[in-house]
Amino acid sequence: MTRYDLALIGFGGVNRALAELIAERGDTLEAELGFGLRVVAITDLRAGSLVRTDGGAIDLAPLLAVAPGELDFSGLAGGSPDPRNEWVIREAPADIVAEATFTNPADGEPALSHVRWAIEAGKHVCTTNKGPVALHGRALQELARRHGVCFEFEGTVMSGTPVLRTARRMFGGLAVHGFEGVMNGTSNYVLGRVESGLSFADAVAEAQALGYAEADPTADIEGHDVQLKVMILANEVLGADLRRADVPCTGLSALTDDDVRRAAAEGLRWKLVGSAARRPDGTVEARVAPVALPAEHPLAGVCGPVNAVAFHTDLLGAVTVAGPGAGRVETAYALLSDVLAVHERTANLAGAELLQEAGRG
């Protein structure tokens, strides 16, 4: 049975949820997917680092029994108070690096360096960070190709909902002219609550209290999160090469409470829409902005934390993919689906090599 050893970079909500899946459902996953998973290294900004170098796996149960903010790896065998991210990524005996730290949308760091270190070390890497993919995706994919490893990032656009793989694998024979998406649950929730009568300020505060919005909600409310997702989708699905400057971004601060309620009274619903379309000359234009959508629009009924993307195709018209756009477990599933993609690719390569050997024989 094939087995993959994982290094978890960041042990916050997402990678912790992935560890829970492995600890609680490991045997079931092995039977269903055809490969086993073990965690051999973990790094975390607050807890430090923990690495098994003796051929064994980290016992996840006692770690998961401790509250996230109280973890301290320094007192454990193989533990250190220092995250040692570069050393762990390059030197730990892992096959796959699961990168789920924070990212700076201006330069993609520190996630960008984490991804590069893993690829340069000859390790497959899966990330949920939008920054490295949106800002440097093409270069990282080329680096991974040169090193013969996989670079997977399904969770960067719609959490566990497989919008990227759906577009890549299911749209064969279709010409995709563009897309429109509601790709941020926080802004969507806030707009819905304003429609219901709350002020913007109260709706944002409620979203924060429920855990839908960060202490600083600017990236969600002003569209910067969606901007990166539009770049990833346009570059992957439309073959574009967009930079942040190519995607003008207008956030919810452009709207007033009255704008939202007046539109609702007229049968329209404001949504923060990220879109991209191919021009006649083959170039791609994109933007993020609030749009008042009619009831019949495929995105008008997308509510709360649900995300959706409507792809515009030549033969089928609008094809809409909808599902959870956030959540620790949902995003952890995206990492699991990335591991499955790594397994499928390596299995296919191994099969091709066997066929070549048989042909030479």
Side-chain angles (χ1 to χ4, degrees):
M1 175 70 71
T2 301
R3 185 189 74 214
Y4 299 104
D5 288 345
L6 307 182
L8 308 183
I9 309 304
F11 203 57
V14 174
N15 265 342
R16 188 180 175 95
L18 179 61
E20 290 169 357
L21 285 174
I22 294 170
E24 297 168 6
R25 299 180 55 190
D27 292 342
T28 301
L29 290 172
E30 183 172 337
E32 291 179 355
L33 302 178
F35 57 84
L37 294 173
R38 302 191 314 175
V39 176
V40 298
I42 303 173
T43 72
D44 184 75
L45 188 61
R46 290 179 294 183
S49 58
L50 182 62
V51 182
R52 288 289 298 265
T53 58
D54 58 358
I58 292 173
D59 185 0
L60 296 172
L63 303 183
L64 296 171
V66 179
E70 299 175 6
L71 268 177
D72 181 0
F73 295 149
S74 62
L76 304 177
S80 167
D82 184 352
R84 301 185 300 166
N85 285 333
E86 182 172 6
W87 182 87
V88 171
I89 289 169
R90 292 186 184 275
E91 303 299 334
D95 306 300
I96 300 173
V97 172
E99 206 288 333
T101 65
F102 63 93
T103 190
N104 182 337
D107 60 11
E109 294 292 0
L112 173 60
S113 289
H114 298 162
V115 172
R116 281 180 175 154
W117 294 335
I119 293 172
E120 290 168 354
K123 296 171 182 177
H124 307 295
V125 58
C126 311
T127 186
T128 58
N129 269 295
K130 293 175 286 294
V133 186
L135 303 176
H136 304 281
R138 190 158 295 180
L140 291 171
Q141 288 171 318
E142 174 58 23
L143 186 65
R145 187 195 64 78
R146 294 203 310 267
H147 285 269
V149 297
C150 300
F151 172 43
E152 301 291 336
F153 43 87
E154 182 61 61
T156 59
V157 177
M158 278 176 55
S159 184
T161 303
V163 64
L164 288 170
R165 290 201 177 94
T166 297
R168 289 184 191 130
R169 298 182 180 183
M170 305 302 291
F171 289 176
L174 295 176
V176 180
H177 302 304
F179 61 83
E180 300 171 276
V182 173
M183 295 180 277
N184 184 272
T186 301
S187 60
N188 206 35
Y189 179 85
V190 167
L191 285 170
R193 295 300 287 142
V194 174
E195 283 182 359
S196 301
L198 289 184
S199 68
F200 264 109
D202 288 343
V204 171
E206 184 176 274
Q208 290 170 320
L210 293 171
Y212 294 154
E214 301 290 340
D216 180 359
T218 304
D220 293 323
I221 300 302
E222 294 306 318
H224 307 309
D225 171 73
V226 176
Q227 183 186 47
L228 295 178
K229 294 174 180 177
V230 166
M231 292 167 62
I232 293 169
L233 264 182
N235 292 346
E236 288 298 304
V237 178
L238 300 179
D241 188 19
L242 299 180
R243 301 292 184 262
R244 290 188 75 189
D246 301 324
V247 186
C249 184
T250 303
L252 298 190
S253 60
L255 299 177
T256 67
D257 297 357
D258 287 343
D259 289 333
V260 176
R261 294 178 192 133
R262 186 164 52 248
E266 297 171 357
L268 302 173
R269 304 198 71 185
W270 282 101
K271 299 291 179 184
L272 185 62
V273 176
S275 62
R278 196 185 309 280
R279 299 185 183 99
D281 65 0
T283 60
V284 173
E285 61 180 338
R287 70 169 187 158
V288 178
V291 180
L293 301 175
E296 64 272 15
H297 193 282
L299 300 178
V302 178
C303 299
V306 174
N307 284 190
V309 174
F311 293 96
H312 300 293
T313 72
D314 59 340
L315 301 181
L316 298 180
V319 177
T320 304
V321 179
R328 56 188 294 273
V329 173
E330 293 84 352
T331 311
Y333 171 75
L335 286 174
L336 181 61
S337 74
D338 283 344
V339 172
L340 179 58
V342 170
H343 174 70
E344 290 174 346
R345 179 178 166 186
T346 54
N348 289 338
L349 289 174
E353 289 175 359
L354 286 174
L355 287 174
Q356 288 178 349
E357 286 293 330
R360 285 194 289 267

